[in-house]
Amino acid sequence: MTQWKERLRVFLFPPETDVWLGLLRIGLGLQVLFYALSLRADWNYLFAGPGEGLIGRALPEALLSTESPLIPRLDWLVMLTTRIGFSESTALSIVWWVLLFAGCCLLIGFFSRASAILAWFVHLCAAESGGFISYGVDNFMTIGLFYLMLSPLPDRYSLDHRWRKLRSKNPHLLGFFRRVLQVHLCLIYFFGGVAKCLGSGWWDGSNLWRALIRPPFNLIAPEILIRLKYMFPVAGIAICLLEISYPVFIWNRKTRGIWLMCICAMHAAIGLTMGMYLFAFIMIVLNTAAFGPDLGLAPSEKLVRATLS
């Protein structure tokens, strides 16, 4: 029993440098910036009050209230801003600027933890209030920002470290947060792969066909897709196998690089063929931060990662 406890402790708290944390912070900073800029033209239209926007935030927030009054939503921030004397339109614009500012601060590592908390909260409010238009990218942004704000920031590449001389000195705590992210990704891919295997749509390629011809994701001309129809079953089966075997091969040092490149290539292909660039980018960021820094490590874990740098 003591031996198993020690193995579990070693697995959960390996000594790590903060390279992975720097990759995660910079990647998520870029993701928040891209997310905010992509919504700039339609921000007020998507989140305006009743009768002023596409759907507005009133209906999604009303549904949220039936689940729990404690779920964050944009209405909290809008009400806080309008009480100061701003109009609702101005209040929504201020919220957008706050999100953009938090992304910039994350990117350069200025007040890293406060910026991560702010970005997580504002993005979560927007994702929950836009429940009818949000999709996988919002879920994974929430996950990434949540882990980032809890992690032992700042990292070595941040302005907080260079100017304020702040940096986490606990390698085992850094290792714990990275390990949790790694295990979480393994669970996501494994159960995603199992769910795909249970249906016939991925085995015969029909799910891929439907995804590529459905607006607004139909970037590839139908005549090209028809010529490539024999590739769909092969691609579908490959995706199922890649995801379901992810927890096995991503841990093995000999296969980690291959599986990481394959999974990143899969997400890049999704982004390029369906226009889901933000989704592709966040998945590449999470995978690279979780498993990228120690590619090629071996001899005594590179002397315990160069004596923890």
Side-chain angles (χ1 to χ4, degrees), residues 106 153-154:
L106 267 185
L153 292 164

Side-chain angles (χ1 to χ4, degrees), residues 51-288:
E52 298 182 19
L54 176 64
I55 299 175
R57 65 180 190 279
L59 181 55
E61 290 181 350
L63 294 175
L64 287 176
S65 298
T66 63
E67 298 178 23
S68 171
L70 301 179
I71 298 176
R73 61 205 70 183
L74 275 180
D75 202 49
W76 293 359
L77 304 177
V78 171
M79 287 178 60
L80 180 65
T81 312
T82 51
R83 284 183 180 179
I84 304 173
F86 294 103
S87 67
E88 182 176 293
S89 177
T90 305
L92 285 171
S93 295
I94 290 173
V95 172
W96 181 86
W97 280 106
V98 169
L99 183 61
L100 187 72
F101 174 75
C104 291
C105 290
L106 267 185
L107 182 59
I108 63 177
F110 184 63
F111 288 96
S112 303
R113 188 173 304 283
S115 300
I117 294 172
L118 184 62
W120 171 81
F121 183 74
V122 176
H123 170 263
L124 182 60
C125 288
E128 294 296 337
S129 293
F132 293 141
I133 56 173
S134 63
Y135 67 110
V137 66
D138 295 292
N139 296 330
F140 286 107
M141 280 182 69
T142 300
I143 291 170
L145 289 168
F146 181 77
Y147 282 134
L148 183 64
M149 74 177 187
L150 295 180
S151 297
L153 292 164
D155 56 86
R156 70 178 72 185
Y157 306 111
S158 64
L159 282 183
D160 290 331
H161 170 60
R162 295 178 182 275
W163 288 1
R164 300 166 63 201
K165 305 303 180 186
L166 299 173
R167 184 180 166 192
S168 173
K169 294 184 172 66
N170 189 334
H172 295 284
L173 190 60
L174 285 163
F176 172 74
F177 280 99
R178 186 183 178 200
R179 186 69 83 216
V180 172
L181 177 60
Q182 290 173 329
V183 172
H184 196 163
L185 285 175
C186 287
L187 292 174
I188 288 170
Y189 282 113
F190 177 75
F191 287 107
V194 168
K196 289 181 176 68
C197 290
L198 294 178
S200 61
W202 288 94
W203 296 101
D204 60 18
S206 59
N207 280 359
L208 281 174
W209 168 262
R210 283 194 292 267
L212 292 170
I213 64 171
R214 181 182 302 170
F217 308 115
N218 53 336
L219 301 184
I220 302 177
E223 53 269 20
I224 297 177
L225 294 177
I226 291 171
R227 289 197 207 112
L228 298 175
K229 62 182 179 180
Y230 299 108
M231 295 294 295
F232 291 150
V234 176
I237 294 171
I239 290 172
C240 289
L241 295 178
L242 182 64
E243 291 191 1
I244 207 168
S245 62
Y246 182 93
V248 176
F249 293 103
I250 202 68
W251 292 106
N252 190 309
R253 231 180 252 110
K254 295 179 180 178
T255 57
R256 180 178 300 160
I258 296 172
W259 243 250
L260 182 60
M261 285 189 291
C262 287
I263 211 76
C264 288
M266 180 188 76
H267 288 300
I270 291 172
L272 293 173
T273 58
M274 300 179 65
M276 299 171 67
Y277 308 115
L278 289 175
F279 176 75
F281 188 75
I282 186 63
M283 296 309 299
I284 291 172
V285 166
L286 293 176
N287 276 281
T288 302

